Amino acid sequence: MPLVAESTYQPPFYLFNGHLQTIVPSLWRTVPDVAYQRERLELPDGDFLNLDWSRLPPMRPTNGLVIVSHGLEGDASRPYMRGMVRALNRAGLDALAWNYRSCGGEMNRLLRSYHLGDTDDLDLVLRHALATGRYRRVFLVGFSAGGNVTLKYLGENPDRVPTEVQRAAVFSVPTDLQASSVHIGRLQNQVYLRRFLKSLRLKVRAKAELLPGQIDLAGIEDLRDFQEFDSRYTAPMHGFDSADAYYQHASSGRYLGGIRVPALLVNAQNDPFLPASCFPREVAAGSPFVFLETPPEGGHVGFPEGSPDGEYYSERRAVEFLTAEVPA
């Protein structure tokens, strides 16, 4: 019954609510000591992904590879990604932080982009890494949207997951996308919603310039929430009949029971993005593989600490879980 009974996370005293624990790390944290080597991965459908590698020096043998997936409208350069990569490298692990289609500073080629249930690209990245022949042990880490993709990948078709995949750790995951899309529209969350929609509108406009005549921009500025945006753009651009159909297909919560490798899910109780349905306690209680930790504090993709080495709780917890012989 992998319900983590008690979390050890304690935020700094001056970050005393979920909004501060979310916003301060996002806007003011810096992680300078990470050096990526970028690789362009050409895809079978004519598109591409940009992969950012952070490998250990040749004289230092690696204990495996961790594939790190970012959140909605993020990329490998975000502080939470760089912080996790640094912690993994310190623990003797290579890291591969991949950028979704249209992310990482470069628009993708096709009409489609990325969505929160797209596990095929994660599978392509994973198999590309395995094809190097360098890794017999692989771990997965994901934040928010990337955590949703990671959990869905592990649970929707367990037989597809390569045997090299040992464990996963994900943080701040909207396992119920329908409820989460409503929850973020609450008055107290408008600052987050407006920021996401601004970024998404810019992406659609850039895609319309790249592919003239294929995207209708009329009324794009009138879209006021995720349901409207996803109905207008995300769903039809990725083959779904409606936003509801997209949310139903893409939500990782419905696939958790299929997970067959130890997977840690850490969702803070004060996360402003997550409704009650994103805390799957019953599933974790009945699964030998899904470890659910719900600290009272942490915010969304936050978990800041005042540690002298600059690491955050999410990073320490991921390393602890991924490298443990018996997860707990």
Side-chain angles (χ1 to χ4, degrees):
M1 300 174 61
L3 280 167
V4 179
E6 185 174 345
S7 176
T8 62
Y9 174 66
Q10 293 290 334
F13 72 92
Y14 51 88
L15 301 178
F16 48 81
N17 63 38
H19 295 293
L20 288 173
Q21 293 158 17
T22 300
I23 294 170
V24 170
S26 175
L27 295 183
W28 287 289
R29 186 188 189 192
T30 59
V31 185
D33 44 348
V34 172
Y36 285 135
Q37 294 81 46
R38 174 155 290 189
E39 177 187 8
R40 172 70 61 87
L41 176 61
E42 295 290 338
L43 302 178
D45 62 5
D47 217 338
F48 68 92
L49 294 170
N50 284 326
L51 312 182
D52 288 327
W53 292 84
S54 183
R55 300 182 178 95
L56 301 180
M59 69 288 298
R60 187 181 175 194
T62 179
N63 293 319
L65 173 70
V66 185
I67 297 176
V68 190
S69 301
H70 61 75
L72 181 70
E73 288 303 278
D75 56 50
S77 71
R78 296 300 171 93
Y80 63 86
M81 292 287 285
R82 294 173 63 86
M84 181 62 73
V85 166
R86 181 181 64 181
L88 295 168
N89 289 163
R90 287 174 173 174
L93 295 158
D94 285 354
L96 169 52
W98 66 293
N99 302 277
Y100 311 154
R101 304 187 196 212
S102 81
C103 299
E106 192 172 2
M107 183 56 63
N108 67 307
R109 300 177 186 135
L110 304 183
L111 178 62
R112 61 151 297 176
S113 180
Y114 73 96
H115 65 80
L116 274 65
D118 183 9
T119 57
D120 289 341
D121 280 357
L122 175 57
D123 187 65
L124 286 169
V125 171
L126 171 57
R127 294 183 185 280
H128 173 72
L130 289 173
T132 65
R134 299 181 61 179
Y135 304 107
R136 299 175 61 183
R137 302 170 73 231
V138 178
F139 308 95
L140 305 179
V141 166
F143 294 94
S144 193
N148 187 74
V149 172
T150 299
L151 292 176
K152 181 174 181 282
Y153 175 68
L154 293 174
E156 67 182 346
N157 184 2
D159 292 336
R160 179 172 70 156
V161 179
T163 57
E164 290 87 352
V165 175
Q166 303 288 299
R167 295 184 188 159
V170 295
F171 301 86
S172 307
V173 183
T175 58
D176 182 347
L177 296 180
Q178 176 76 59
S180 296
S181 70
V182 174
H183 194 77
I184 199 171
R186 298 185 306 166
L187 180 61
Q188 59 266 44
N189 290 332
Q190 286 296 305
V191 62
Y192 310 113
L193 179 61
R194 287 195 296 268
R195 187 178 182 188
F196 280 129
L197 289 177
K198 179 181 179 180
S199 179
L200 290 166
R201 289 192 192 101
L202 289 173
K203 286 275 186 73
V204 172
R205 290 187 179 279
K207 185 65 68 73
E209 291 185 12
L210 181 68
L211 303 171
Q214 296 192 44
I215 298 177
D216 182 7
L217 295 177
I220 188 173
E221 293 300 326
D222 297 327
L223 303 176
R224 292 291 178 256
D225 56 37
F226 277 140
Q227 294 98 320
E228 291 182 358
F229 183 89
D230 291 334
S231 294
R232 178 74 180 278
Y233 293 111
T234 310
M237 289 172 69
H238 297 94
F240 298 101
D241 293 334
S242 65
D244 288 344
Y246 161 54
Y247 297 147
Q248 174 70 11
H249 167 82
S251 294
S252 61
R254 62 183 295 209
Y255 305 100
L256 296 179
I259 292 176
R260 295 293 179 266
V261 299
L264 172 68
L265 167 58
V266 182
N267 280 354
Q269 295 176 42
N270 70 347
D271 188 323
F273 291 22
L274 302 184
S277 56
C278 292
F279 296 82
R281 293 179 174 86
E282 290 186 7
V283 174
S287 169
F289 298 104
V290 179
F291 291 75
L292 177 64
E293 180 176 340
T294 59
E297 308 283 338
H300 188 77
V301 191
F303 304 102
E305 290 184 313
S307 57
D309 60 1
E311 289 189 356
Y312 278 17
Y313 178 77
S314 50
E315 296 148 18
R316 293 193 299 103
R317 188 68 175 101
V319 167
E320 176 186 60
F321 186 85
L322 298 179
T323 60
E325 288 301 319
V326 179

